[in-house]
Amino acid sequence: MAFEVNDIDESQAPLMDHLIELRTRLIRAILALLLAFGICLYFASDILGFLIRPLTAAFPPGQGRLIYTKLYEAFFVEIKVALFAGFFVSFPVIANQLWAFIAPGLYAKEKRAFLPFLLMTPVLFTAGGALAYYVVMPTAFKWMLGFQGQKGGLSLDAYPAVGEYLGMVMQFILAFGFSFLLPVLLLLLNRAGLVSRTQLIGMRRYVIVAITAIAAVITPPDVVSQLMLLVPLWMLFEGSLVIMWFGERKAAKVAGVPEVISPSASEER
């Protein structure tokens, strides 16, 4: 019986160590988020002004107006802005804590394989958010404001509420940011052996339908923003196939296997 108790104690010790380490990593990540939130709250007005610029540019000069219909709405908008910006500021620390928790359980080869994907995640997310801010939002807002004018003898004017506008901006940035992580997801699945390039080529038509549905769901309900997400996602999917082809070609050379056929040749087959 003593042997069984000792065996149980030894099996529980590593688990307790992992739980303690996980708690430490979570506390550090939360503290980083709270610190970034506090700093961003001080600059919340400036950050909100930065987020409003695409709408300002969409209005004719001097004619734009952003309103709030509840007395407390502007205050909570700044809280949301600070939390939204604080997450982006603290993300490197959060990602570092996540990596520090996962890395000890990986072999050196697995670390070398996984680390590039971890580094590319913020780069691709930032690229997607930048595309949304600098290209998609100004274009979409101009299209939406184009419905102003005289309708039935009355003036139809746009007076967007600041809370609704912030929600739309966050939806744009998060939708494009997370969608641009598609290559990371596909390449990780390919590296893990769960999906091959040949399978993805065979499923291309279904993937395009899925991308179209995703673009319609996660973007605001206008055709302009949906198309502006659909096209980059399709290009990222095709780019992932090209990267997989180069990876297979390199692996084939190392293993001494005949060269992998090109993506276009495999499609013709």
Side-chain angles (χ1 to χ4, degrees):
M1 185 65 98
F3 172 78
E4 295 179 357
V5 172
N6 291 335
D7 187 38
I8 293 175
D9 290 341
E10 291 174 0
S11 65
Q12 288 180 341
L15 176 61
M16 291 303 299
D17 291 340
H18 287 310
L19 291 177
I20 292 172
E21 184 182 1
L22 177 60
R23 182 188 65 181
T24 303
R25 300 297 179 188
L26 287 175
I27 291 174
R28 291 177 181 176
I30 293 173
L31 289 176
L33 178 60
L34 291 176
L35 178 61
F37 169 75
I39 296 173
C40 292
L41 184 60
Y42 181 79
F43 297 100
S45 180
D46 296 327
I47 298 173
L48 180 59
F50 176 76
L51 296 176
I52 290 175
R53 286 180 187 174
L55 181 62
T56 304
F59 274 106
Q63 296 186 18
R65 178 178 293 183
L66 199 59
I67 65 172
Y68 60 95
T69 58
K70 300 174 184 177
L71 294 178
Y72 55 81
E73 185 176 6
F75 169 74
F76 281 106
V77 163
E78 292 200 353
I79 295 294
K80 291 178 182 179
V81 166
L83 186 60
F84 184 64
F87 173 76
F88 289 104
V89 172
S90 61
F91 180 79
V93 178
I94 296 174
N96 179 265
Q97 293 301 313
L98 178 62
W99 173 252
F101 179 72
I102 296 175
L106 301 176
Y107 293 106
K109 184 178 180 181
E110 293 173 337
K111 290 180 182 179
R112 289 193 298 269
F114 184 74
L115 189 57
F117 298 106
L118 183 65
L119 296 176
M120 285 301 298
T121 296
V123 175
L124 289 173
F125 187 93
T126 303
L131 176 65
Y133 180 85
Y134 290 105
V135 178
V136 179
M137 287 195 292
T139 306
F141 293 158
K142 284 184 180 180
W143 179 78
M144 295 174 185
L145 293 175
F147 292 96
Q148 294 185 107
Q150 294 292 326
K151 307 290 182 181
L154 297 177
S155 178
L156 181 63
D157 299 316
Y159 294 103
V162 63
E164 294 178 356
Y165 173 75
L166 178 62
M168 182 178 294
V169 169
M170 293 171 62
Q171 184 178 356
F172 267 116
I173 294 176
L174 292 176
F176 277 77
F178 282 115
S179 297
F180 267 52
L181 299 182
L182 177 65
V184 175
L185 175 62
L186 293 179
L187 292 173
L188 277 175
L189 292 175
N190 178 256
R191 184 68 64 88
L194 298 177
V195 65
S196 66
R197 182 178 60 88
T198 305
Q199 290 175 326
L200 289 175
I201 291 175
M203 297 169 56
R204 177 181 276 121
R205 66 185 67 180
Y206 304 106
V207 171
I208 294 175
V209 172
I211 290 174
T212 304
I214 292 172
V217 170
I218 66 177
T219 58
D222 65 279
V223 179
V224 176
S225 58
Q226 292 172 7
L227 287 176
M228 286 188 168
L229 179 59
L230 171 62
V231 174
L233 277 181
W234 186 15
M235 294 174 63
L236 288 171
F237 172 73
E238 298 295 339
S240 300
L241 295 180
V242 174
I243 295 174
M244 290 179 191
W245 176 70
F246 279 111
E248 291 178 0
R249 184 180 180 185
K250 181 178 179 181
K253 286 184 177 180
V254 172
V257 179
E259 186 173 327
V260 181
I261 57 176
S262 66
S264 58
S266 63
E267 291 178 35
E268 291 175 0
R269 284 190 169 187

